[in-house]
Amino acid sequence: MYVLGATIDGIGQAYKDLPAITRKLGYADIKMAGIVSRNAAEWGIEKQDYVVFVDTAPDDWNVIVGGKSLYIKIAADTKGTVVYFRGGAVSKNELGEAIADGLPVYVVVDASTLPNKKNVEKKLAKNANYVTDGTVDIVKDAAKWKNLTVIK
């Protein structure tokens, strides 16, 4: 199992929910690891077993390897499933890539995945064009793609 991303907002909910979910599926001892741009550290990293920080340009959260998102590349290479708990502009790009690659994609958009208001205000103060939820348009147009499931 790969859990990619490491921030408190969005994917942070996965780190809270996955241990109980995996126990229900019969997995007794899982390890969770986040892979994230080093730029994310200032916004808070969710508690997990391991975190891999990738050096990217200042204010760039894209983790790109060989022209593809590392997250989507790992999912494609392992015939995995892509699950997002909302996300910003980078998530929008990654989801678009995963959908185009034909991977099974799930986007969780319930109330537990709303971003932290204080972090959003801080990010908007730093960048008025900050995308607080890049999944909105993808979720709105979910019927276009047979490999996308929205969980509300």
Side-chain angles (χ1 to χ4, degrees), residues 88-99:
V90 173
S91 295
K92 179 179 181 178
N93 295 337
E94 293 164 352
L95 284 167
E97 197 174 306
I99 291 166

Side-chain angles (χ1 to χ4, degrees), residues 53-129:
F53 289 104
V54 178
D55 289 324
T56 59
D59 295 323
D60 182 1
W61 288 48
N62 291 286
V63 180
I64 305 293
V65 174
K68 300 237 0 149
S69 163
L70 177 60
Y71 308 153
I72 304 310
K73 181 179 178 351
I74 289 172
D77 289 352
T78 61
K79 297 180 181 25
T81 298
V82 176
V83 181
Y84 273 76
F85 296 80
R86 298 187 198 246
V90 173
S91 295
K92 179 179 181 178
N93 295 337
E94 293 164 352
L95 284 167
E97 197 174 306
I99 291 166
D101 286 355
L103 294 168
V105 177
Y106 294 83
V107 181
V108 181
V109 294
D110 68 13
S112 72
T113 62
L114 288 170
N116 177 289
K117 284 186 177 192
K118 287 182 184 177
N119 282 351
V120 168
E121 289 169 4
K122 194 170 155 184
K123 290 173 185 176
L124 286 170
K126 190 173 180 180
N127 174 1
N129 296 319

Side-chain angles (χ1 to χ4, degrees), residues 125-143:
K126 190 173 180 180
N127 174 1
N129 296 319
Y130 173 75
V131 177
T132 58
D133 188 349
T135 66
V136 170
D137 291 335
I138 291 169
V139 167
K140 180 181 69 175
D141 295 332

